[in-house]
Amino acid sequence: MSLKEIVSKLLRGSPLFRILSLVCAVAIAVGVFSLCSAGAKKTPTITSINPPVGSPGDIMIINGENFGPAREYLSYVEIGGSKITEGGFIEWTDTAIRFVLPANIQDGLVYVSSKNGKSKPVFFANAAGIPVAVPPNTKTTMPIIVSIQPEKAAPGTLLTITGSNFGEIRGTSKVYFTANRDDSASSVSAKNFGLEANKFDPKFIPADEGDFDYEYWSGNEVRVRVPDGAADGLVYIQTEKGGSNYYHEDIDIPVGKKTYSSRRTYLIQSSAEVDSIKITKQASLTLRIPFPPVTSRQPVAELSECTPDPVINEYKGTTIHQFDLSTQGPKKVTTKQSFVVATYTVETDINPKNVKNFSEKKRALFQTFTAADDLIQSRNDKVVRTAAEITKGYTNPFSKAKIVYDWLTANFKYSAKESNKPFDPEAFLYKKKGSAYDFAILYTSLLRACGVPAQIYSGILANADMKAIDHWWCAFYIENFGWVPVDPALGAGMEYKPFRPVENPSEWYFGNLDSQHIIFSRGWNSLKPTLMNSKTVYRDRSYALQSVWEESSEGVKKYSSLWNTPIVVGVY
């Protein structure tokens, strides 16, 4: 008898066999369905978290897959049994989640949950709860410089520093050079304002990230360019393990001379107010407060006080405030920041005959500061033609910068009346009248159009009577020398009260700049929104050049905002 016949006979003659057969069939069907469902549901998977050990205020990045293209109602991140609130998230994609660690963060397991399920956990530790390790042997961890090549260099020269214990990645490590500063007339130090002593040392200047000075970093080799503002003297490397030995480097500047003197330290307050807030559901509002940058001329820029506490103190040139809004919540929010900023007067004496054309045209600094962007319209046809006409017959970059400055200050008039419209180069070239904003953008655009690296600065001009106004000025770059400051609006007749009177403004403000120019942004700061599907606000002709000032989530129906020009409350 065949197997088929035996099974058929058992099905007809045995009720128990029929029941068992039915149960098996159902079990198989359920198993197949479960396998299919499991394949269809892609549960979140965490591949890494960074940092694995962190502190409140740090930005955590979770990498993995199947998180979902956007954060949905059932999606959340859990750390140590607590869920991250909506206001803490910066980004949510299918493969990466970014958010700010809250003040109450605890050690524990990290999960990502979506409508398809919950990931397997990874462990996170709060840095505050980790026992202090036994101090390492500093002789084996401190950075050591063995050699620097070449032994003689100029600003912008690429140096190769060899040694040990530099760290495999740079992180917050820096290379410091002897600074070209005269502080003999200043008795005010950073300590007068409650700043840490190592925050500012007038004798040294770090390589500048804004000028792309750092090109390579490893445990035993660093390639870095001599920064603008460096002088003949000592060089050292500072890592989280400590400072290296000093190594002497000869800095030779054949082009001319630059001096930094008459340091002034300012206490500055900025504020913003958002009123008449109307929302339709739980929502959030984010404010990006401009944070003054650190440069060779402005070596101190510290946030001394902030109300309320920001989500992030400093991120991409801004302090970030985020407000969670509810229908029963306040209809008005305000912020106030106090900054300590120190600036120097810069004066240059350049021999044009020693200025050479830029030789490293693939260098990041040259590529960046000769290109057009959302603000500098150096590819506009009218700007290109005008630049070519003005500089016809000139090849020396210094001579090009001077002839453009002379042409602009001689043919255009300064007007305090500011247009509410975005900058229009063709309209300004036709009217020949504009504000400091118009002068600075056109001058920078013309220089870039004729191949001279140039950038625009935005900030405030502090009058001798303590009153501050929004202001914009420029600088152009000379190889083997550095940045040369220019203020075309002051050169064209704009009036203000300097601490030290200038006899011939049109001549002095080409190549020189007083310490009353306080920078709040350096070039165009292109910022990305921090929230999904949010609305952003850009403030044209303001004291900082950044693409995002305000950002509101979908639930915000409307509001009104007021941003005040920063005020100077103390000068030392």
Side-chain angles (χ1 to χ4, degrees):
M1 183 179 294
S2 67
L3 178 62
K4 182 177 180 181
E5 291 173 333
I6 294 172
V7 171
S8 178
K9 185 176 180 180
L10 288 172
L11 288 173
R12 290 195 304 272
S14 173
L16 178 61
F17 186 81
R18 288 198 297 272
I19 294 172
L20 291 174
S21 299
L22 180 62
V23 170
C24 290
V26 172
I28 292 172
V30 170
V32 171
F33 178 79
S34 299
L35 289 173
C36 293
S37 299
K41 289 184 178 180
K42 296 181 178 180
T43 58
T45 300
I46 299 175
T47 57
S48 68
I49 63 170
N50 187 28
V53 179
S55 303
D58 289 348
I59 295 178
M60 174 173 279
I61 303 175
I62 301 179
N63 294 308
E65 57 186 5
N66 305 325
F67 300 154
R71 195 171 70 85
E72 300 176 340
Y73 176 71
L74 295 176
S75 302
Y76 62 85
V77 171
E78 177 182 316
I79 301 179
S82 298
K83 295 180 181 178
I84 302 299
T85 60
E86 179 182 2
F89 288 98
I90 298 174
E91 179 184 29
W92 187 300
T93 69
D94 195 50
T95 59
I97 301 171
R98 296 169 62 234
F99 56 94
V100 179
L101 293 176
N104 61 347
I105 192 68
Q106 299 294 325
D107 297 341
L109 300 177
V110 180
Y111 294 90
V112 174
S113 182
S114 72
K115 63 181 181 182
N116 293 329
K118 199 171 186 179
S119 70
K120 291 183 178 180
V122 296
F123 186 75
F124 167 80
N126 187 338
I130 297 177
V132 177
V134 176
N137 185 344
T138 57
K139 292 182 179 180
T140 62
T141 60
M142 296 281 279
I144 300 172
I145 297 176
V146 174
S147 69
I148 300 180
Q149 294 294 329
E151 297 178 354
K152 189 175 183 178
T157 301
L158 184 62
L159 301 180
T160 299
I161 305 175
T162 58
S164 58
N165 303 325
F166 299 153
E168 292 305 320
I169 57 174
R170 187 171 75 84
T172 59
S173 300
K174 295 181 180 181
V175 181
Y176 285 85
F177 294 76
T178 297
N180 176 22
R181 297 184 182 126
D182 176 14
D183 279 272
S184 59
S186 175
S187 61
V188 178
S189 70
K191 290 183 179 180
N192 292 95
F193 299 93
L195 303 181
E196 296 178 20
N198 62 353
K199 288 289 186 180
F200 172 61
D201 184 344
K203 296 187 293 296
F204 289 94
I205 182 175
D208 194 338
E209 295 178 33
D211 287 344
F212 311 99
D213 286 341
Y214 295 100
E215 296 201 359
Y216 177 79
W217 195 288
S218 71
N220 55 17
E221 182 179 314
V222 170
R223 293 197 288 271
V224 63
R225 293 186 182 273
V226 177
D228 178 43
D232 188 70
L234 302 176
V235 177
Y236 73 95
I237 293 179
Q238 181 74 41
T239 72
E240 61 178 9
K241 304 295 185 182
S244 74
N245 56 305
Y246 292 112
Y247 201 96
H248 190 273
E249 180 71 14
D250 291 329
I251 305 297
D252 180 44
I253 309 177
V255 172
K257 183 180 180 182
K258 178 187 287 189
T259 59
Y260 294 78
S261 61
S262 305
R263 175 159 60 99
R264 296 187 189 277
T265 304
Y266 298 87
L267 184 59
I268 301 169
Q269 287 184 353
S270 67
S271 62
E273 179 179 302
V274 179
D275 203 352
S276 304
I277 301 172
K278 292 186 178 181
I279 63 173
T280 57
K281 60 180 180 180
Q282 187 79 21
S284 65
L285 177 67
T286 303
L287 302 181
R288 302 292 293 263
I289 314 297
F291 196 111
V294 171
T295 69
S296 61
R297 195 189 68 83
Q298 184 170 289
V300 175
E302 292 289 330
L303 181 65
S304 60
E305 187 178 354
C306 190
T307 305
D309 291 335
V311 174
I312 304 175
N313 282 344
E314 184 180 3
Y315 181 69
K316 291 190 174 181
T318 64
T319 295
I320 302 178
H321 288 271
Q322 193 167 73
F323 301 93
D324 292 325
L325 307 174
S326 65
T327 53
Q328 289 79 34
K331 305 304 179 185
K332 176 180 178 180
V333 295
T334 60
T335 69
K336 183 180 289 186
Q337 293 73 222
S338 294
F339 298 100
V340 176
V341 180
T343 64
Y344 286 82
T345 292
V346 178
E347 296 179 277
T348 63
D349 183 9
I350 298 170
N351 185 348
K353 294 181 180 179
N354 293 336
V355 176
K356 307 298 182 183
N357 288 326
F358 218 95
S359 61
E360 295 185 88
K361 293 189 176 180
K362 292 184 178 181
R363 181 178 165 185
L365 182 146
F366 182 86
Q367 293 286 327
T368 301
F369 296 114
T370 55
D373 56 34
D374 291 341
L375 187 70
I376 305 303
Q377 302 182 36
S378 54
R379 295 296 175 264
N380 177 279
D381 290 341
K382 180 67 173 176
V383 171
V384 172
R385 289 196 302 270
T386 302
E389 291 171 3
I390 299 169
T391 61
K392 186 177 181 180
Y394 292 88
T395 58
N396 185 302
F398 180 85
S399 300
K400 286 182 178 181
K402 184 64 165 67
I403 197 66
V404 171
Y405 174 84
D406 290 342
W407 174 83
L408 189 61
T409 55
N411 294 287
F412 289 68
K413 293 183 178 180
Y414 170 80
S415 172
K417 296 180 180 179
E418 298 180 359
S419 169
N420 292 325
K421 297 180 180 179
F423 173 76
D424 183 347
E426 296 186 20
F428 186 40
L429 286 166
Y430 174 75
K431 294 180 180 179
K432 291 183 168 54
K433 180 185 290 186
S435 68
Y437 182 84
D438 302 309
F439 272 86
I441 294 181
L442 182 59
Y443 183 74
T444 305
S445 299
L446 290 169
L447 289 196
R448 290 191 185 184
C450 61
V452 178
Q455 65 176 317
I456 183 172
Y457 295 93
S458 181
I460 59 175
L461 191 59
N463 279 280
D465 60 4
M466 300 281 284
K467 292 182 179 179
I469 58 173
D470 294 344
H471 193 58
W472 305 268
W473 63 99
C474 323
F476 64 94
Y477 193 89
I478 293 178
E479 196 171 53
N480 297 324
F481 183 81
W483 292 102
V484 180
V486 179
D487 193 326
L490 289 179
M494 174 184 169
E495 295 183 358
Y496 95 114
K497 299 176 181 178
F499 289 113
R500 186 185 70 179
V502 176
E503 291 185 6
N504 189 343
S506 62
E507 180 179 337
W508 196 82
Y509 283 107
F510 178 84
N512 308 297
L513 201 69
D514 56 51
S515 57
Q516 293 167 245
H517 289 67
I518 301 167
I519 309 169
F520 268 87
S521 69
R522 180 183 180 185
W524 175 249
N525 189 4
S526 181
L527 302 172
K528 294 182 178 180
T530 59
L531 304 173
M532 292 282 187
N533 303 316
S534 63
K535 295 179 181 178
T536 61
V537 174
Y538 162 63
R539 300 184 66 245
D540 194 22
R541 298 174 179 266
S542 190
Y543 66 93
L545 304 172
Q546 59 187 50
S547 58
V548 177
W549 289 73
E550 306 163 14
E551 183 180 0
S552 56
S553 65
E554 291 182 284
V556 179
K557 185 177 181 181
K558 66 177 182 177
Y559 63 86
S560 62
S561 61
L562 174 64
W563 293 76
N564 298 306
T565 296
I567 60 174
V568 176
V569 296
V571 182
Y572 305 89

